[in-house]
Amino acid sequence: MFAILKKELWSYFGNWSAWIIIAAFSLIAALFLFFFDNDSNIFEIGMASLQSYFVLVPWLLMFIIPALSMKTFAEEQQTGTLNWLFSQPLKVSDLVFGKFLSVWVVGILCLIPSLVYLYTVYVLGVPEGNIDLGMTFGSYIGLIILIAAFSGVGILASSLSQNQIMAYLLGVFMCFIMYFGIEQLASYKLLGGADFILQNIGFYQHFLAFTRGLIDFKDVAYFVLIIGVCLALSNHFIQKKK
């Protein structure tokens, strides 16, 4: 598993793809937070808070994480190297988990430049340091867990696809449905009391609790379950290709 993790990380950072993705992610976030005239602009809001960042980032991750995960299995199958991996002395589960960890690690690294935003907001606060660090810390924990969930969904999409383009489009679609689609469907209140159950199937409500500074065991357990199901399904579909 660690051999696969190192191999994947080298493939991301060895050809500049990870650096470009991290830079693009940080640039887009900075433009929305400090330059573009929109509801996420910190200067327009007039509050010493990164709340708008934590609202914006999941939408960026919907496109970034599938871009990272699309190559994990779809490219291996497209280039024919998947059969070579099957011939190596490693379990399919180690292969799946190693690739999942690599996507998760790169996704977390995308958040590192945001510490500059945190410092900026901390300094600009009146008085200096007038920022809810508990809520900010909880939101970062929520983002790290959400990245893991998106990574699991992306790995599943890649294991189902024959090529990288299909893996990317399927990954974006599945992430969108899990984060926003289910939440919007529940908001129409078409199912009566079942809408509450439907609402809790999606990512949004569980991530929202973290952005309020609440780290609840139920929300953590939910994301762990989702990640486990995605990886188990990925393992099953890759086993069928063996």
Side-chain angles (χ1 to χ4, degrees), residues 5-22 68 71 102 106 109:
L5 174 60
K6 288 189 291 184
K7 169 185 171 294
E8 291 296 310
L9 289 177
W10 175 251
S11 71
Y12 285 126
F13 290 99
N15 61 6
W16 296 94
S17 60
W19 300 107
I20 293 172
I21 287 175
I22 293 172
L68 292 169
K71 67 183 289 295
S102 68
V106 178
L109 292 177

Side-chain angles (χ1 to χ4, degrees), residues 100 141-142 144-150 152-153 174-183 186 195-210 214-231:
F100 161 76
I141 296 296
I144 291 172
I145 296 175
L146 184 65
I147 290 170
F150 280 157
V153 172
M174 291 170 66
C175 288
F176 174 81
I177 291 298
M178 290 302 297
Y179 181 77
F180 189 71
I182 293 177
E183 172 67 21
D195 284 320
F196 176 77
I197 299 175
L198 181 63
Q199 195 174 47
N200 281 278
I201 293 176
F203 293 169
Y204 182 78
Q205 288 297 323
H206 297 279
F207 172 69
L208 193 63
F210 287 99
L214 302 174
I215 303 177
D216 195 320
F217 173 78
K218 292 185 292 185
D219 296 317
V220 175
Y222 163 81
F223 280 114
V224 170
L225 176 62
I226 290 293
I227 295 165
V229 169
C230 288
L231 296 184

Side-chain angles (χ1 to χ4, degrees), residues 33 40 42 45 48-56 135-136 139 208 210-212:
L33 290 177
S40 298
I42 291 175
I45 296 171
S49 172
L50 277 181
Q51 195 64 21
S52 57
Y53 175 77
F54 299 120
V55 172
L56 173 66
M135 185 178 69
T136 303
S139 298
L208 193 63
F210 287 99
T211 63
R212 295 168 179 160

